[in-house]
Amino acid sequence: MASTEQPVDESSKAPVPEPKLARGPSFPPINLLWGDLALRLLLFASTLTGVVVMVTSKQTELLFPFPVTKTAKFNYSPAFIYFVVALSVACLYSILTITASIFFILKSSPSNKLLLLVVSVDALMAGLVASATGASASVAYIGLKGNSHVGWIKVCNIYHKFCRHIASSTALALVASIILLWLVLLSTFSIYRRIR
């Protein structure tokens, strides 16, 4: 019996693709919304703790050689008042953005315009918290070291607890400033990924 197949020229065949090697499971890209939510929760914790520590920084001491008691409180310094107000605004802002982040995770991702607005306000908050941190740190430094050129004396050798509160609150505000900077970078990267 004769075969009905036509002879095929071996040189005209298309090359057979090599089988692909099996790779491990492909992981989805990192979800930036979860990172955003985590940073906003840290921002809330650091600003709220900073405000509470600053507001509770009251100490009364008996000053020698005079039999006089003096009290050190945060509201005796305009820099510390500004610090408390700035951290309170940042804390309120973090509550609003935590709510928005949860909504975006559950429902839908934010639009580019909304992300741009959030980046702008995050940058504004970063500037506000950083300036308040600088104001608080400068007054705290004078309290710690004094200034002999203008006759300002050190007070941290008398008001130990008060100065520890101020230092702790200022350190927390510095952490909040860094978190806000990370939030600006994260939101900017999120916008970049969308338009790329």
Side-chain angles (χ1 to χ4, degrees):
M1 239 166 109
S3 171
T4 58
E5 293 181 14
Q6 298 287 334
V8 179
D9 183 16
E10 292 293 325
S11 63
S12 66
K13 281 188 177 179
V16 177
E18 294 181 16
K20 293 184 179 179
L21 297 174
R23 293 184 183 169
S26 63
F27 296 103
I30 296 171
N31 193 341
L32 296 179
L33 290 176
W34 285 104
D36 182 76
L37 179 62
L39 285 174
R40 292 191 188 283
L41 287 169
L42 285 173
L43 176 65
F44 171 72
S46 62
T47 53
L48 180 65
T49 307
V51 168
V52 169
V53 169
M54 179 63 89
V55 169
T56 59
S57 63
K58 177 182 176 183
Q59 184 178 2
T60 303
E61 289 294 327
L62 180 64
L63 301 180
F64 292 105
F66 313 105
V68 176
T69 58
K70 287 282 189 178
T71 302
K73 293 170 69 174
F74 84 95
N75 57 352
Y76 293 163
S77 168
F80 294 150
I81 293 171
Y82 168 61
F83 178 82
V84 168
V85 170
L87 281 187
S88 299
V89 168
C91 186
L92 178 63
Y93 173 71
S94 70
I95 292 170
L96 295 174
T97 54
I98 285 170
T99 307
S101 290
I102 292 172
F103 175 76
F104 292 141
I105 288 171
L106 296 177
K107 298 295 181 187
S108 65
S109 62
S111 66
N112 286 344
K113 289 181 182 179
L114 188 56
L115 273 176
L116 189 60
L117 176 67
V118 169
V119 169
S120 302
V121 181
D122 281 348
L124 178 69
M125 285 296 140
L128 179 69
V129 172
S131 69
T133 304
S136 174
S138 65
V139 173
Y141 183 79
I142 291 172
L144 179 66
K145 299 288 186 179
N147 190 329
S148 59
H149 301 291
V150 292
W152 293 338
I153 61 169
K154 312 184 238 191
V155 295
C156 286
N157 56 350
I158 300 168
Y159 299 103
H160 302 290
K161 178 185 165 193
F162 175 75
C163 288
R164 282 194 305 270
H165 276 244
I166 300 301
S168 301
S169 186
T170 304
L172 286 167
L174 182 61
V175 169
S177 298
I178 293 168
I179 290 170
L180 280 163
L181 178 64
W182 276 104
L183 282 168
V184 169
L185 293 174
L186 185 71
S187 297
T188 305
F189 179 69
S190 181
I191 292 174
Y192 169 76
R193 266 184 45 176
R194 287 180 175 208
I195 62 174
R196 190 177 64 148

